[in-house]
Amino acid sequence: MDVQTRFSACLFETIVASHDDAMVSLTPDGLVSSWNPAAERLFGHSPRQALGRPIDSLLVRQSTPLLNRTSEAAQALTSPALLRDADGALISALVTHRPLHDPDLGLVGTLVTVHPLRQALSQAQEPHPRAQPINVYESLVESTDDAIITKTLGGIVLSWNPGAQRIFGYSAAEMIGEPITKLLPVERVHEEEMILQRIANGERVEHFETVRVHREGHLVHVSVTISPLRDATGRIVGASKIARDIGERIRAAQTIWRQANQDALTGLPNRHAFGQRLRVEAERAQRDQVCFALLYVDLDHFKSVNDSLGHAAGDALLNAVAERMRSALRASDVLARLGGDEFSALLPAPAEAQTARRVGAKLLQALALPFDIGEHAVHVSASIGFALFPHDAEGPENLLRCADLAMYEAKHGGRNRTAAYEPTMDQHARGRLVLAGDLRRASQLGELFLLFQPVVRTADRSLAKFEALLRWKHPAFGVVPPARFIALAEETGLIVELGEWVFRSAAQQALAWQAADGHGPQVSFNVSPVQLAAELDPTQGWVDYLHRIGLAPRRLVVEVTETVILDESPRIAQRLRRLRAQGLQIAVDDFGTGHSNLASLSRVEVDYLKIDQSLVRKLPGDARKLAICEAIVAMSHRLGIGVIAEGIETEEEQARVRDIDCEFAQGYLYARPLDAQGATQWVADDRARRPAHGAGGDPSAGVDGAGARPTAQG
């Protein structure tokens, strides 16, 4: 060997010995012929232990033989591989095979270069015994909550961090060397094929939301980002994947969706969801020039069930009615609860009058058999009206109005029947305008009056506040149901005038109950969303009026329905925020009926939530309803919001709401709505029971006294 040749050989040996990557040469039959210091450091075998031994017995995991012994290729080949060291620890690496050729002898062996991607967990799941240098990247991978996984282009797992074990349940020993499809539901295997194809094409898959199967069998919602994994030459040899558990976000979104779109009592779509579906169906009918039908269903004499058997029985009946009607409809039909005892059914196109009559008859037949409610067999019928789109109305809102008019015709015609909308029914509606004229004069004629229902503290049943309830005694018709004349006032715009009367009357009554020291029970009054949305702000002068009469604004509470909080109108939100900033307090009525949710409270800060009676009356014996109420109370208190339970009728219900830390309650257990004289006696009796005004505050005070939860206002 000449000097130049010896120099070249020495130089090559020096380079190999000093290289950071493990470099191993193999004979054509796979035996180790050289073993550099980096290989000794990486794998733990000395040259004496390695030379002459088959490479597979030294490095390759037996279940996944990834190293080629020799290669006939003219170029070097790089691929991911899963290796093991002398202690059995797994190493994921990029392995390059370079054929060694001699000009005279041809192929004489293979040079294998091993570049570790990261040290995998040992098979025993114990830390590697040999000291390792600190690696910031590896520390990040090990400590993150996200799953960080590398895999080959064939989908074989190369690395698996603790975050992956937390999310999917499998340990590194169970997944490294296994196909990633082990995590995929059968119906989603195609997703992995699509992802690997895109990675092979050099693309990056970002924030792909899907589901994977946990080790215990349940589905895990994840958002994954997958990037190509390249070798030193830039060739794509695998994929790196980051998966984030989004299950909590998905569940929260589902809960919010249910609250906004599902009736809490029956599980049916609520008015909001039904209105959306109605608009979609109307657009389709106009586009395809077809007809669909809408049925409006109102139960007959349902109020008598509540009055005689109690609201718990009424709720059970509504649930049973909803189930029977749903079973009588086709799968394509949409049944919704609009509120109270009113339901609506949408019959998608094509549906003519004959179809609507036939379905109406089926619904009446389904309701004909008695319902077993507790120990009682309850009989109930319904009045059903229907209208056709676009035959009877130009828009979905008018269609619902037409079906409503037809329902009233069925009710006036003897109940337990179905009626079709006819244009003459609008004449009857004009009669309501006459009633509207009478309502316009009712305040001047002294026909309007307020009743007051006490709200008590659950801890000791002391008086905290009153809810003012508007009533109208018509000289000819007697007491007009509030639902009827309030709706009429909203339709005609009279609600602004009525609302002003209610505000001033409630303020004057609160002033009458005010003690010498300025304390007294709060008075809450209802404000309509139509009133709040009026072009000219009807609440603009309220605080000035309170100052003139000498009443602190905190003595009044504005009650709004949950639909007001959900309303996207900036005008309504702005007016409520201004009232609260000026000292009045805000309460959300009927919370939990299916429209509202705690997330919506970010639009308008409130002081009280009133849990709807449909939830409260389910508390005894219903663990699910109790959990819902308990969650509402806990979350409200975290937000500094007081909670009032509505519709308390029994001692057991009182005990349940007290046990879950609901501080206020109202209902027939304490008192029915009282006239001003009766309410005044309540105030006097309450003060007589607790005459001393000590450090705890006036016992008859509201938020400004003892027993109230502190809020941003109180």
Side-chain angles (χ1 to χ4, degrees):
M1 179 182 298
D2 59 27
V3 174
Q4 182 62 38
T5 301
R6 286 198 303 272
F7 175 77
S8 298
C10 290
L11 179 61
F12 176 77
E13 290 176 2
T14 301
I15 292 173
V16 170
S18 62
H19 205 287
D20 290 335
D21 287 341
M23 302 184 73
V24 180
S25 63
L26 307 178
T27 64
D29 56 355
L31 300 180
V32 175
S33 57
S34 69
W35 187 266
N36 75 338
E40 183 176 0
R41 290 193 300 271
L42 180 61
F43 299 112
H45 299 288
S46 67
R48 185 173 58 84
Q49 294 171 318
L51 292 175
R53 293 183 60 186
I55 188 65
D56 285 355
S57 66
L58 289 171
L59 306 182
V60 182
R61 187 180 183 189
Q62 293 178 358
S63 61
T64 313
L66 299 178
L67 278 177
N68 294 326
R69 292 186 176 183
T70 59
S71 174
E72 296 294 337
Q75 298 178 350
L77 295 177
T78 302
S79 62
L82 188 65
L83 311 176
R84 64 183 179 188
D85 63 13
D87 298 315
L90 298 178
I91 302 169
S92 57
L94 292 179
V95 179
T96 301
H97 307 268
R98 292 180 175 84
L100 297 176
H101 290 274
D102 183 273
D104 300 323
L105 302 176
L107 182 67
V108 295
T110 305
L111 177 63
V112 178
T113 304
V114 181
H115 178 73
L117 295 174
R118 60 179 296 273
Q119 190 76 18
L121 295 179
S122 71
Q123 293 174 344
Q125 295 295 290
E126 294 293 336
H128 197 281
R130 294 195 305 275
Q132 297 291 329
I134 296 175
N135 186 311
V136 175
Y137 169 75
E138 184 162 342
S139 298
L140 178 63
V141 170
E142 293 295 314
S143 62
T144 181
D145 288 335
D146 294 339
I148 300 181
I149 303 165
T150 57
K151 57 188 177 181
T152 69
L153 287 178
I156 301 300
V157 175
L158 295 173
S159 67
W160 184 267
N161 75 330
Q165 179 170 346
R166 182 186 63 81
I167 293 175
F168 300 113
Y170 291 97
S171 67
E174 292 173 307
M175 283 303 300
I176 293 178
E178 296 293 323
I180 196 70
T181 51
K182 188 174 181 177
L183 302 177
L184 273 65
V186 175
E187 67 275 10
R188 290 182 178 265
V189 172
H190 67 282
E191 292 180 356
E192 181 67 9
E193 298 172 357
M194 176 271 293
I195 289 171
L196 290 176
Q197 182 59 51
R198 290 182 60 181
I199 293 299
N201 293 336
E203 299 179 41
R204 175 183 167 93
V205 179
E206 296 191 50
H207 307 302
F208 176 64
E209 295 190 1
T210 184
V211 294
R212 294 295 181 253
V213 181
H214 191 273
R215 189 177 190 273
E216 296 178 357
H218 61 267
L219 295 180
V220 180
H221 290 270
V222 291
S223 174
V224 297
T225 296
I226 308 101
S227 304
L229 187 65
R230 302 175 184 272
D231 63 12
T233 66
R235 192 167 63 91
I236 298 172
V237 294
S240 63
K241 169 180 177 179
I242 300 176
R244 173 161 295 176
D245 186 348
I246 59 171
E248 185 174 346
R249 174 169 67 81
I250 295 294
R251 288 188 291 273
Q254 290 171 344
T255 298
I256 293 172
W257 184 92
R258 284 194 300 270
Q259 290 176 335
N261 294 278
Q262 195 175 72
D263 176 58
L265 178 63
T266 63
L268 295 174
N270 59 22
R271 183 182 289 271
H272 170 72
F274 187 72
Q276 290 183 322
R277 176 60 189 271
L278 191 58
R279 286 189 288 272
V280 170
E281 192 65 25
E283 292 173 1
R284 187 173 77 89
Q286 289 174 328
R287 183 184 66 246
D288 299 341
Q289 296 186 339
V290 291
C291 182
F292 72 90
L294 181 72
L295 279 68
Y296 203 110
V297 182
D298 184 88
L299 301 184
D300 298 328
H301 305 300
F302 176 76
K303 185 176 182 297
S304 63
V305 177
N306 276 339
D307 293 342
S308 59
L309 301 180
H311 288 277
D315 289 346
L317 179 59
L318 287 173
N319 264 318
V321 165
E323 186 59 36
R324 281 214 198 157
M325 288 198 296
R326 187 159 38 195
S327 63
L329 296 171
R330 302 170 300 180
S332 58
D333 300 332
V334 180
L335 179 66
R337 184 187 178 208
L338 301 183
D341 60 345
E342 295 180 342
F343 298 83
S344 189
L346 187 155
L347 312 182
E352 303 291 343
Q354 184 178 359
T355 307
R357 288 190 183 278
R358 184 174 66 252
V359 172
K362 287 181 65 177
L363 292 177
L364 294 178
Q365 183 179 3
L367 299 178
L369 294 175
F371 292 86
D372 293 327
I373 306 298
E375 300 176 353
H376 304 275
V378 178
H379 292 266
V380 67
S381 62
S383 299
I384 302 176
F386 70 85
L388 305 177
F389 184 90
H391 181 269
D392 295 325
E394 296 180 353
E397 293 79 10
N398 285 335
L399 182 69
L400 193 61
R401 182 187 66 85
C402 291
D404 189 14
L405 289 175
M407 181 274 293
Y408 275 108
E409 184 65 24
K411 197 172 287 290
H412 296 154
R415 306 177 190 272
N416 196 30
R417 60 189 295 267
T418 300
Y421 168 78
E422 297 177 3
T424 56
M425 292 177 183
D426 288 314
Q427 298 174 1
H428 300 294
R430 282 192 287 271
R432 301 176 68 193
L433 294 179
V434 176
L435 191 64
D438 294 341
L439 180 60
R440 189 180 301 276
R441 296 184 293 273
S443 59
Q444 289 100 14
L445 297 177
E447 296 168 4
L448 298 178
F449 62 98
L450 293 179
L451 295 180
F452 301 90
Q453 187 170 30
V455 176
V456 305
R457 297 180 179 89
T458 57
D460 58 6
R461 301 198 186 188
S462 61
L463 177 64
K465 59 191 92 229
F466 285 101
E467 179 182 0
L469 304 168
L470 179 62
R471 296 292 184 263
W472 177 26
K473 187 174 183 180
H474 192 279
F477 306 140
V479 177
V480 181
R484 183 180 179 191
F485 77 81
I486 293 297
L488 183 61
E490 290 179 333
E491 291 174 9
T492 58
L494 287 173
I495 193 65
V496 173
E497 182 179 333
L498 287 184
E500 183 68 19
W501 184 91
V502 170
F503 160 72
R504 292 182 178 239
S505 299
Q508 290 290 344
Q509 190 60 67
L511 184 64
W513 290 328
Q514 184 167 276
D517 60 2
H519 289 83
Q522 283 184 310
V523 176
S524 65
F525 60 97
N526 292 281
V527 177
S528 163
V530 177
Q531 183 180 356
L532 286 171
E535 187 69 26
L536 297 177
D537 186 1
T539 70
Q540 188 66 45
W542 283 5
V543 175
D544 290 340
Y545 177 79
L546 295 178
H547 290 327
R548 286 200 304 272
I549 67 173
L551 184 70
R554 68 176 181 273
R555 295 284 308 287
L556 294 184
V557 180
V558 175
E559 286 200 16
V560 295
T561 61
E562 54 187 1
T563 54
V564 172
I565 300 299
L566 280 177
D567 197 301
E568 295 295 332
S569 168
R571 176 184 295 171
I572 291 178
Q574 181 181 10
R575 289 173 179 177
L576 287 175
R577 284 194 292 266
R578 180 180 55 78
L579 287 175
R580 191 172 187 273
Q582 291 176 334
L584 282 83
Q585 295 194 319
I586 308 297
V588 179
D589 199 9
D590 301 328
F591 191 86
T593 55
H595 299 283
S596 201
N597 57 78
L598 289 168
S600 66
L601 300 181
S602 61
R603 295 187 64 252
V604 178
E605 290 187 358
V606 303
D607 300 279
Y608 300 101
L609 291 184
K610 302 186 74 174
I611 302 179
D612 186 68
Q613 60 186 11
S614 64
L615 282 176
V616 171
R617 292 201 176 91
K618 288 287 186 178
L619 288 185
D622 192 324
R624 183 172 181 271
K625 295 293 185 183
L626 180 62
I628 292 174
C629 289
E630 191 171 13
I632 291 174
V633 171
M635 289 297 295
S636 297
H637 289 176
R638 288 290 298 274
L639 296 173
I641 299 173
V643 186
I644 303 170
E646 297 183 287
I648 300 296
E649 293 187 351
T650 67
E651 292 290 346
E652 189 175 12
E653 291 168 354
Q654 147 78 21
R656 290 291 184 274
V657 298
R658 184 187 60 227
D659 291 346
I660 64 174
D661 199 25
C662 179
E663 59 266 55
F664 301 109
Q666 72 181 104
Y668 287 174
L669 176 65
Y670 315 109
R672 290 177 178 269
L674 307 167
D675 59 19
Q677 183 178 355
T680 300
Q681 187 61 51
W682 246 80
V683 174
D685 292 344
D686 186 77
R687 285 174 175 166
R689 285 192 297 269
R690 301 193 302 156
H693 177 59
D698 183 355
S700 65
V703 193
D704 51 327
R709 179 168 298 278
T711 68
Q713 190 63 40

